[in-house]
Amino acid sequence: MSLKEGVDVDMFYGFYGIMDLMFPLFFITIFSIIVFAFFKGIREWSNNNKQPVLSVPAKIVAKRNHTSRSTSNHDGHHHHSTSTNYYITFEVESGDRMEFYVSGKEYGLLAEGDIGKLTFQGTRYHKFEREI
């Protein structure tokens, strides 16, 4: 066996040695992120349930949406999906601002500048009753 063959064999086994180490680390990292997100959601849900339901005078000061798109290829067919999240920022009498995730229907019914009563629980939006 020449020196060159020895180097090639070492590089070959070195690459797979790294892959043997990287695959479990990659799997553990992805699994940890999923578990963390799950428990974070449970904690937020639990914290919201412990908060009182409040109704306060408020004004809508901003609206925004976030659209995400994804493409997948399954059996040679391209599939596209789009998801839109809607958010409204309210300003209460103290001057504090709070942004809440709302449904598309709620987003469409409300406009910047609307004044009314905001009902919420922690970070959970319940409703906004516009003054007429």
Side-chain angles (χ1 to χ4, degrees):
M1 180 184 327
S2 72
L3 180 59
K4 183 176 181 187
E5 288 174 353
V7 170
D8 289 341
V9 170
D10 289 343
M11 286 177 52
F12 177 77
Y13 287 118
F15 173 76
Y16 282 102
I18 291 172
M19 292 306 293
D20 287 342
L21 177 66
M22 293 301 289
F23 180 76
L25 286 177
F26 178 75
F27 178 77
I28 289 169
T29 301
I30 297 300
F31 182 75
S32 298
I33 291 170
I34 292 168
V35 169
F36 175 77
F38 175 76
F39 283 109
K40 182 180 176 188
I42 294 293
R43 187 176 68 233
E44 182 177 356
W45 175 82
S46 177
N47 286 340
N48 281 338
N49 287 341
K50 294 175 186 175
Q51 301 296 317
V53 176
L54 301 174
S55 292
V56 298
K59 177 181 179 180
I60 297 176
V61 293
K63 292 173 64 175
R64 72 177 181 92
N65 62 57
H66 178 263
T67 303
S68 58
R69 296 175 180 87
S70 66
T71 304
S72 63
N73 187 359
H74 184 67
D75 295 333
H77 295 82
H78 291 287
H79 299 280
H80 304 279
S81 64
T82 303
S83 172
T84 304
N85 293 323
Y86 301 97
Y87 302 90
I88 297 181
T89 302
F90 297 90
E91 185 175 296
V92 296
E93 289 180 319
S94 67
D96 291 333
R97 292 182 175 203
M98 297 177 282
E99 182 178 67
F100 293 99
Y101 169 80
V102 298
S103 69
K105 179 181 177 184
E106 196 81 16
Y107 183 86
L109 292 173
L110 301 174
E112 287 185 26
D114 283 352
I115 296 173
K117 186 181 286 190
L118 169 66
T119 304
F120 66 98
Q121 183 179 22
T123 61
R124 185 183 300 144
Y125 172 84
H126 283 278
K127 63 182 176 179
F128 182 75
E129 297 172 84
R130 189 174 31 224
E131 289 179 5
I132 298 175

